[in-house]
Amino acid sequence: MIHKTLSALGAAAIALTLSTPATAAEGGPTIDMIKERGSLLCTGHNGSYLGFAEVDDDGAWSGFDIEMCKALATAILGSPDALQIIPVSWAQRFPALQSGDIDVIIKVTGWTMSRDTELGLQYSRPYFIGPTNIMTRADLGVSTPEDLEGGVFCINAGTSIERIVADYMGARDISYEALNFEKPEELRAALYAGRCDALAGFGPFLAATRFNAPNPDDFVILDAVLALEPEGIVAREGDDSFIDVINWMMSALLMAEEAGITMDNVDEIRANPPSSSIERLLGVSPGVGERLGLSDDWAYNMIKAVGNYGEIYERTVGDDSVYKLPRGANRLWKNGGLLYPLVLD
Amino acid sequence: MLKIWRNRTLRGTLIQGLVLLGTVALFASFVLTARENLVSQGIATGFGFLERSTGWPINFSLIEVSDRSPYSRMLLAGFLNTIYVGLLGLAAATLTGLVVGMMRISSNLVLNILGTIFVETFRNVPLILQVIFWYALLTHLPPPRGAIDLAGVGFLSNRGLMLPAPALSAMDLAILALGLLGVLFSARRMGGTRSGLTWVLGLGALAALFTVLLLTGRAPDMPLVSIPELRGLRFVGGLTVKPEFAALLIAIMMFGGAYVAEIVRGGFLSVDRGRLEAAKALGLSSWQIMRFVHIPLAIRAMLPALTNQYIWLMKATTLGVAIGYPDYFMVVSTSINQSGQTIELLLLLMGGFLAINYVIGGIMNTINARLAIKGRS
């Protein structure tokens, strides 16, 4: 069934590509569907995934992934409220996308070869670089992994983190002791009790663990990155114009940060654009919307609604949030990070 | 045909053969179906993964392992860890049980009440809770830098108990073990009245030889005793009893001890009063009655129940997974996650515990048979 839907979609996409001129101003089938429905169906979580998709007592969603959903909804439909968050578990997200229950997966989904090639999915460029970090007790005065020589690492048993730590420490010839726990609860208890000097894991998980500690200030997350996992936004394979919109949405958020355009000063800058590329970005001169099948002020609306990439990061998982996750690889290229905007000509 | 059916022996054999055949066929079909399904899902089967390196380490092992060790060696390390904590746990539980059991049957009221409280407390709380309780207690000790100093040579912290240890190499230990075996063997061969003398001479010779070897065969500045010393984040040198191991051992000792105590009490109470009175009438002292009548008879009554208890306790070591003790179960379960070879690893897990418990059962049955009163079944 899924396969049939998929091939039909694929065929539709191919037909669309063939029948339209190269400078198409049309949205793909997904965008048409979203526009017709008047709302974007985006992923939430079954419960709260701290920092990325959290739901409060009133059922209101917040978090980094949710902000990305809002940005996409604003880009396509002009309003961050034209959005429905559908709660899905980790395992449900791919079938839910294929069956059309959701339009897009924005749910810290690592870009792996098997998912990209075997599940009928198409990835956008990474919107978040997921680091494997080390969190350690502040009173140890440790600043690099080398300082943890001989220390005890608490690690979730049976995860890829076990191997990542072994490789990283082995390559640097730092001796350590791995204490592996099956359950996150026991892992946390051991860390809070001081049984281990450090906890290695996915950066956001560490940030949430620190936030939930009896005293969060007792723990610091080291800058060192043991491994990276690029997280992409996922759409159904074959709808290239939808992926284009997602990639340019991401690019606009980064370009805004690079140019210092924020939620607060976007009107000011639009009234008096410093360069021609910013003129194009904010829709002062035409082109940015037409080529994607969107309105020309989509980027302006989006920045007005959710801010630039840095603002979204700091608000949800970074320094302005409770998690204080260092930006690390998620900084702009000019600040030593891995993120960069594409060229808007 | 009917005639064969009427023959009772033949009929019995035939039915048994058919049942056996059916069982084998059933299991064969299970294996084949599983294999077919796995192959159709593109999942690799077989034991080839045992040669691959694991890529992850464990923090406690009796043999040398690292993240570069193959699965087979990692599994062996886990297996030995299970046997290690299991055997020590059984011994500790037996000792505790003996003491508490004696307290329970003692005529001293205070001892009696203490014994009862012990049994009722530790027998009625689930083992997993006890394991987590002891672990929480041990990990709430001060960190290494604020470790409790035990006379400058030992330290107690949330990383465990650090004790001084004789700085012996594996070679030294091997020589020592071989020597002791030699002495034991020759003493037994000499036998009779001279065995005492052989023992003393043999041990003396071994001690002298070992001392000479120890003093000449090592670097002059190398100390004979390794004392734990705080270096950076950890203690270096000496011997470490890790909290995971200690918590599991204490829990098994207490929980098992409570059960063994009841078995001991039952064993002693099962001895017929008439026999004890008969021994008394023969003029044996109360110690002699204990040594030659009460204990031997009580042990016979205890053994079958003890066998069950030992096997049960051995399986209870798997609770180590809750507190991060890398026992066989934990290593297998991590291996399943990392290698995906679920069925093969579960077979190894079952085979391992089957082997351990079969051996325990076998030893206990042998002891039981030896102790059994001759002429009785």
Side-chain angles (χ1 to χ4, degrees), chain B residues 303-342:
Chain B
L303 274 178
L306 267 185
T307 310
N308 271 341
Q309 194 56 42
Y310 283 173
I311 289 177
W312 197 95
L313 280 180
M314 206 64 188
K315 288 186 282 195
T317 56
T318 50
L319 290 177
V321 74
I323 54 169
Y325 177 73
D327 72 328
Y328 193 42
F329 179 67
M330 170 137 186
V331 173
V332 167
S333 118
T334 304
S335 303
I336 288 177
N337 264 326
Q338 297 283 14
S339 73
Q341 307 288 322
T342 315

Side-chain angles (χ1 to χ4, degrees), chain A residues 159 162 178 180 194-195 197, chain B residues 59 158-159 244 330 333 338:
Chain A
T159 61
E162 283 186 307
N180 304 321
R195 172 63 183 96
D197 299 304
Chain B
N59 76 328
N158 62 6
R159 302 301 155 82
E244 292 78 34
M330 170 137 186
S333 118
Q338 297 283 14

Side-chain angles (χ1 to χ4, degrees), chain A residues 22-92:
Chain A
T23 53
E26 296 289 319
T30 312
I31 291 180
D32 290 344
M33 217 153 63
I34 294 167
K35 281 184 173 165
E36 201 177 303
R37 195 191 301 119
S39 67
L40 172 74
L41 303 180
C42 199
T43 41
H45 190 63
N46 49 341
S48 274
Y49 185 63
L50 296 181
F52 287 82
E54 297 176 33
V55 63
D56 65 13
D57 295 342
D58 303 325
W61 289 89
S62 62
F64 188 82
D65 285 348
I66 303 298
E67 293 294 315
M68 283 292 165
C69 290
K70 283 184 186 166
L72 188 58
T74 317
I76 300 172
L77 297 166
S79 160
D81 301 323
L83 174 70
Q84 292 178 52
I85 298 294
I86 312 292
V88 290
S89 71
W90 296 110
Q92 280 170 342

Side-chain angles (χ1 to χ4, degrees), chain B residues 201-216:
Chain B
L201 282 179
L203 283 181
L206 180 66
L209 182 71
F210 193 68
T211 313
V212 170
L213 274 178
L214 209 57
L215 291 179
T216 54

Side-chain angles (χ1 to χ4, degrees), chain B residues 2-286:
Chain B
L2 209 64
K3 207 171 179 182
I4 296 175
W5 190 246
R6 290 234 174 95
N7 183 330
R8 188 179 279 183
T9 337
L10 216 57
R11 191 174 61 203
T13 319
L14 210 67
I15 290 175
Q16 284 181 33
L18 282 176
V19 170
L20 185 69
L21 209 70
T23 317
V24 169
L26 193 68
F27 273 99
S29 78
F30 282 166
V31 171
L32 288 178
T33 312
R35 208 183 152 73
E36 194 181 313
N37 286 339
L38 288 173
V39 167
S40 72
Q41 286 171 25
I43 296 171
T45 53
F47 289 93
F49 72 98
L50 286 174
E51 304 301 316
R52 272 188 268 137
S53 72
T54 54
W56 41 272
I58 52 177
N59 76 328
F60 177 83
S61 169
L62 299 173
I63 54 175
E64 190 85 27
V65 286
S66 73
D67 54 306
R68 294 180 191 191
S69 307
Y71 276 96
S72 51
R73 193 166 174 83
M74 197 59 90
L75 289 168
L76 177 66
F79 189 67
L80 293 177
N81 283 348
T82 287
I83 293 183
Y84 184 55
V85 75
L87 288 187
L88 283 175
L90 291 192
T94 310
L95 277 178
T96 314
L98 267 178
V99 172
V100 177
M102 299 299 255
M103 282 161 77
R104 287 271 273 160
I105 51 171
S106 134
S107 49
N108 182 322
L109 191 66
V110 177
L111 288 183
N112 208 314
I113 290 176
L114 281 178
T116 308
I117 292 176
F118 181 93
V119 168
E120 295 305 337
T121 311
F122 289 106
R123 197 175 55 164
N124 294 335
V125 177
L127 183 53
I128 177 90
L129 286 186
Q130 296 193 35
V131 170
I132 291 175
F133 168 77
W134 293 115
Y135 188 58
L137 211 65
L138 291 175
T139 49
H140 278 82
L141 288 166
R145 287 178 188 175
I148 301 167
D149 194 332
L150 308 173
V153 290
F155 297 93
L156 189 62
S157 75
N158 62 6
R159 302 301 155 82
L161 176 64
M162 285 75 183
L163 292 172
L168 297 178
S169 66
M171 188 63 136
D172 296 336
L173 287 177
I175 292 173
L176 205 59
L178 275 178
L180 277 177
L181 269 180
V183 172
L184 187 73
F185 189 67
S186 48
R188 281 200 75 148
R189 274 194 63 162
M190 293 288 187
T193 47
R194 279 186 299 163
S195 74
L197 189 64
T198 324
W199 267 107
V200 172
L201 282 179
L203 283 181
L206 180 66
L209 182 71
F210 193 68
T211 313
V212 170
L213 274 178
L214 209 57
L215 291 179
T216 54
R218 61 172 55 221
D221 55 343
M222 194 175 159
L224 282 176
V225 177
S226 150
I227 291 175
E229 180 192 350
L230 185 65
R231 200 176 297 157
L233 297 175
R234 59 169 161 183
F235 283 93
V236 181
L239 176 135
T240 306
V241 185
K242 295 224 161 96
E244 292 78 34
F245 173 76
L248 190 58
L249 188 64
I250 296 173
I252 289 178
M253 179 175 98
M254 296 303 203
F255 185 79
Y259 275 90
V260 172
E262 288 299 271
I263 294 171
V264 167
R265 185 169 74 104
F268 275 101
L269 292 183
S270 76
V271 177
D272 187 15
R273 282 189 70 82
R275 296 185 185 212
L276 301 178
E277 280 163 7
K280 209 168 185 181
L282 283 173
L284 298 182
S285 72
S286 63

Side-chain angles (χ1 to χ4, degrees), chain B residues 338-360:
Chain B
Q338 297 283 14
S339 73
Q341 307 288 322
T342 315
I343 293 181
E344 291 82 356
L345 281 159
L346 284 181
L347 281 177
L348 285 175
L349 178 66
M350 289 192 288
F353 273 100
L354 197 68
I356 297 176
N357 284 332
Y358 197 75
V359 169
I360 293 180

